[in-house]
Amino acid sequence: MESHEIPEGMRPDARATWPSPELIDSWLGDSLFGLRPGDEVEVPADDGEAVAAARRFRDVLSQFASGVTVVTSMSGGEPVGMTCQSFSSVSLDPPLVTFIPAKTSRAWPLIHRSGKFCVNVLAADQDWLSNQMASRGADKFAGVDWAPTAATGSPLIRGTLAHLDCTIHAVHEAGDHYIVVGRVQALETGDVEDPLLFFRGRYSTTERVTDGA
């Protein structure tokens, strides 16, 4: 489809009122669904209609309660990591999973070059870890208890619900993000049961979501 064509079913004036990619990205960051965990952003006030449209985009997608993961790898002998909500299974045979980093992510190029990664599924008490891994300019692994995985050597964070150790199978461009498909080489559950969730722009748990928080 040519860039100037209007997709079927879209109102003719929709493109004019849709928020810019930069404005949407100011809310989305490395996450596909709403604010990235731990982010604090200032809402631009110079374009009321664009702000309202972006806010609606964020608020609607925030109704999708997601788990929170930290994707890790090694680069130059040092651990790298990023907080990521946009994680999903893809295939059983072969075993494939996907995560979707933003093109602005600083960690993703390092993970890409390594050719491998570990998905750490965070537990309910690891919101601090999500915040730390989503921060910029800080030592993301300060105070983090981790060990290299047996299959790829990527950082396995202790105390998580589960981990999936992967090699990069394919990478596809998708707008301002990449769709990264990983082939699972090893996986295991942890000793904890309660997941960390992100729902309606804040951290939550299965109990609070069930109660309607």
Side-chain angles (χ1 to χ4, degrees), residues 12-65:
D13 62 344
R15 189 182 302 279
T17 59
W18 193 250
S20 69
E22 292 78 13
L23 183 57
I24 293 175
D25 190 61
S26 74
W27 272 295
L28 298 188
D30 283 340
S31 166
L32 186 61
F33 302 110
L35 281 172
R36 184 173 60 191
D39 272 1
E40 294 291 340
V41 297
E42 295 183 0
V43 178
D46 58 344
D47 188 338
E49 289 187 8
V51 169
R55 189 185 302 278
R56 170 121 179 112
F57 184 83
R58 179 202 66 183
D59 290 346
V60 169
L61 292 179
S62 75
Q63 302 306 304
F64 181 82

Side-chain angles (χ1 to χ4, degrees), residues 186-200:
L187 70 170
E188 190 173 346
T189 58
D191 297 327
V192 292
E193 296 182 356
D194 297 324
L196 179 65
L197 302 180
F198 202 63
F199 180 54
R200 294 180 178 172

Side-chain angles (χ1 to χ4, degrees), residues 76-92:
E78 298 293 330
V80 295
M82 57 179 285
T83 299
C84 186
Q85 291 165 264
S86 51
F87 166 75
S88 179
S89 61
V90 175
S91 167
L92 289 175

Side-chain angles (χ1 to χ4, degrees), residues 52 101-102 159 181 195 201:
V181 181

Side-chain angles (χ1 to χ4, degrees), residues 2 4 8 26 32 39 54-55 59 61 85 103 117 122 162 167 169 185 193 199 201 206 210:
E2 297 295 330
H4 61 275
E8 183 178 355
S26 74
L32 186 61
D39 272 1
R55 189 185 302 278
D59 290 346
L61 292 179
Q85 291 165 264
K103 289 184 176 180
F117 62 90
L122 299 192
T167 52
H169 180 75
Q185 305 297 326
E193 296 182 356
F199 180 54
T206 51
T210 301

